[in-house]
C-alpha cells in the first residue's frame, strides 16, 4: 500500500522535482505592512471559501482508513474545505455527498462510451456536486515500478464502485500495436469530447493535468471554466517539469480568463504562498491528506488543513500580504 500511495512514475524524477522546486524558491520578507483585517478568503467558481486549500482527488481512501472517503469528508467539513471526490473512490459518490456539510467537486475520468461518462455526470449533478474536474493527463497509467515490484493489489472488498457496470474499452489487434495501445488509447478522450461534455452540463468544468500553455489556451477555447496545472504528482510521465516551473507559463497563457489551480509537492504554507505568487488562485493537496487520514482519520485531515492554513497566514504576515489578492510575483526573491 505504501508503494502504491507514495510511488511515482519510473525513476521518480518528476515527483522529487515537485517538492524541490517549491523549496528552491526564496521569499522576500517585508516589514511594517498594514495588516488590519487580514484574511485568507476567496471566491472560486461560485463558492465563497475561507482558504485556498483544496483536497485533491485521490483514489481508494479505504486503503488507509475503514471509513474511507467519508472520514476525509468529515475532516474537510471541519475546516470548511473544498473536497474533490475521485471517480475511483471506494464509496459511491452519492454516499460521500449524503452528509456533506461543505462543498464537493467531482473528479471525472471520461469513460470509453459517452453514455457512461454522461451517467457519471448526471449522478454528480443529482448529488449536488458543485463542479466537474476532468483528469486529462492519464489516458494510460504511468509505469510505477516500485508499485509493481511490491506486488500491490486492492484488498478484497475495495474497488472503484462508481464504475460498477461500466465495461472496459474494446481492443483491436493491429500490426505493430503494443499492449499500451490495445484498447486504452482507442478510447482515450480528445478535445472533441471536452467540447461535447461542456455542452452537456451547466456545472463549472475544470481540466486537471495541464502542463502546456498551448493546451491551456485550447481548453479555454473549448469553454472550460478552470485549469488545474498538474503533472499527476509525478505518477504518470516521468521527467515532466515540476509544477512550480509549469505554473507561471500556464498562468501567463491563461491571462486571468479562468481560475488556475495547481498541485504537486506542496508540503508547507510557504509553498502555498509561492503558488499563489506564481499565478494560482488555489492549490490542491494530494498525498499529505492520505498520510493524515492514515494517522488520525477525520481529525488528522482537519489537523493537516489547519497546519497549512496557519503556515500560510504566517507567511502572508511576514511578506506583508494582507489578502490573497495582494500576493503577487513580488513575494518571490529575485537575484
Amino acid at each position: 500500500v505504501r508503494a502504491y500511495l507514495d510511488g511515482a512514475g519510473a525513476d521518480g524524477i518528476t515527483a522529487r522535482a515537485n517538492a524541490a522546486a517549491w523549496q528552491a524558491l526564496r521569499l522576500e520578507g517585508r516589514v511594517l505592512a498594514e495588516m488590519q483585517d487580514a484574511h485568507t478568503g476567496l471566491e472560486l467558481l461560485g463558492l465563497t471559501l475561507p482558504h485556498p486549500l483544496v483536497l485533491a482527488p485521490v483514489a481508494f481512501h479505504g486503503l488507509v482508513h475503514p471509513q474511507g472517503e467519508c472520514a476525509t469528508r468529515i475532516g474537510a467539513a471541519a475546516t470548511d474545505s473544498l473536497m474533490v471526490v475521485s471517480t475511483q473512490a471506494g464509496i459511491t459518490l452519492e454516499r460521500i455527498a449524503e452528509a456533506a456539510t461543505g462543498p464537493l467537486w467531482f473528479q471525472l475520468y471520461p469513460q470509453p462510451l459517452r453514455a457512461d461518462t454522461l451517467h457519471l455526470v448526471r449522478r454528480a449533478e443529482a448529488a449536488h456536486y458543485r463542479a466537474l474536474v476532468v483528469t486529462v493527463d492519464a489516458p494510460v497509467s504511468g509505469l510505477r515500478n516500485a508499485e509493481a515490484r511490491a506486488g500491490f493489489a486492492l484488498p478484497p472488498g475495495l474497488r472503484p464502485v462508481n464504475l460498477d457496470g461500466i465495461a472496459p474499452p474494446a481492443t483491436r489487434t493491429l500490426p505493430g500495436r503494443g499492449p499500451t495501445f490495445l484498447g486504452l488509447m482507442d478510447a482515450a478522450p480528445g478535445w472533441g469530447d471536452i467540447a461535447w461534455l461542456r455542452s452537456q452540463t451547466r456545472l463549472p468544468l475544470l481540466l486537471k493535468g495541464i502542463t502546456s500553455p498551448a493546451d491551456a489556451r485550447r481548453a479555454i477555447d473549448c469553454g472550460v471554466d478552470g485549469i488545474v496545472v498538474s503533472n499527476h504528482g509525478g505518477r504518470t510521465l516521468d521527467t515532466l517539469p515540476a509544477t512550480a516551473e509549469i505554473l507561471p507559463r500556464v498562468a501567463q497563457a491563461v491571462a486571468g480568463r479562468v481560475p488556475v489551480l495547481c498541485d504537486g509537492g506542496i508540503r508547507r504554507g510557504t509553498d502555498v504562498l509561492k503558488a499563489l505568487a506564481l499565478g494560482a488562485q488555489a492549490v490542491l493537496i494530494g498525498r499529505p491528506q492520505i498520510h493524515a487520514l492514515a494517522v488520525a482519520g477525520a481529525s488528522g485531515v482537519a489537523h493537516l488543513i489547519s497546519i497549512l492554513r496557519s503556515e500560510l497566514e504566517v507567511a502572508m504576515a511576514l511578506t506583508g500580504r494582507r489578502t490573497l489578492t495582494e500576493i503577487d510575483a513580488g513575494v518571490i526573491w529575485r537575484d
Side-chain angles (χ1 to χ4, degrees):
V1 168
R2 183 63 176 264
Y4 169 75
L5 294 174
D6 283 348
D11 296 311
I13 293 168
T14 294
R16 292 191 298 273
N18 275 343
W22 297 118
Q23 293 164 12
L25 293 171
R26 292 174 292 167
L27 296 172
E28 180 171 306
R30 298 296 298 273
V31 300
L32 303 176
E34 296 290 337
M35 295 297 293
Q36 289 82 2
D37 300 319
H39 65 85
T40 59
L42 72 155
E43 301 289 327
L44 182 64
L45 296 177
L47 298 175
T48 299
L49 301 174
H51 58 76
L53 304 165
V54 179
L55 293 176
V58 180
F60 306 123
H61 294 205
L63 288 170
V64 302
H65 194 277
Q67 292 180 295
E69 288 81 6
C70 287
T72 309
R73 178 203 67 205
I74 293 169
T79 52
D80 297 316
S81 301
L82 172 61
M83 176 181 175
V84 188
V85 175
S86 173
T87 293
Q88 294 184 319
I91 298 173
T92 64
L93 64 93
E94 291 86 358
R95 183 179 164 201
I96 296 168
E98 277 175 3
T101 59
L104 299 175
W105 287 354
F106 182 65
Q107 177 263 340
L108 176 68
Y109 278 115
Q111 299 303 302
L113 298 178
R114 283 184 173 181
D116 291 330
T117 299
L118 191 58
H119 179 62
L120 287 170
V121 171
R122 296 292 179 251
R123 288 173 60 191
E125 291 172 338
H128 305 295
Y129 285 75
R130 304 292 296 273
L132 299 174
V133 181
V134 184
T135 295
V136 292
D137 63 345
V140 296
S141 296
L143 298 173
R144 298 199 286 267
N145 299 139
E147 177 186 322
R149 292 181 187 123
F152 171 77
L154 290 175
L158 186 60
R159 69 182 193 281
V161 293
N162 291 303
L163 299 179
D164 284 355
I166 295 179
T171 62
R172 292 189 302 157
T173 302
L174 296 171
R177 301 197 86 193
T180 298
F181 293 134
L182 286 175
L184 288 173
M185 294 310 296
D186 286 342
W191 288 107
D193 296 289
I194 300 303
W196 167 80
L197 185 59
R198 174 67 288 169
S199 73
Q200 297 299 312
T201 181
R202 294 184 178 180
L203 288 177
L205 187 66
L206 299 91
L207 293 195
K208 182 178 184 295
I210 299 297
T211 60
S212 162
D215 283 345
R217 287 188 288 266
R218 189 162 184 180
I220 293 172
D221 290 341
C222 285
V224 305
D225 302 287
I227 297 292
V228 183
V229 172
S230 173
N231 53 33
H232 218 96
R235 293 171 67 84
T236 53
L237 179 61
D238 199 18
T239 70
L240 284 172
T243 49
E245 299 175 274
I246 299 166
L247 175 59
R249 298 189 184 190
V250 171
Q252 183 179 25
V254 170
R257 288 175 288 174
V258 300
V260 175
L261 293 76
C262 80
D263 67 11
I266 291 173
R267 300 293 182 266
R268 286 284 189 176
T270 46
D271 299 336
V272 180
L273 181 79
K274 294 169 186 177
L276 301 184
L278 295 179
Q281 278 72 58
V283 300
L284 287 79
I285 308 299
R287 287 181 179 94
Q289 70 169 289
I290 301 302
H291 293 173
L293 181 66
V295 170
S299 297
V301 174
H303 192 49
L304 163 73
I305 296 296
S306 297
I307 290 171
L308 289 173
R309 183 177 179 182
S310 294
E311 291 178 349
L312 172 61
E313 290 172 350
V314 169
M316 290 172 63
L318 298 179
T319 55
R321 296 320 197 259
R322 190 175 62 88
T323 66
L324 301 187
T325 56
E326 292 183 6
I327 300 171
D328 58 15
V331 165
I332 307 296
W333 176 266
R334 304 294 181 185
D335 291 326

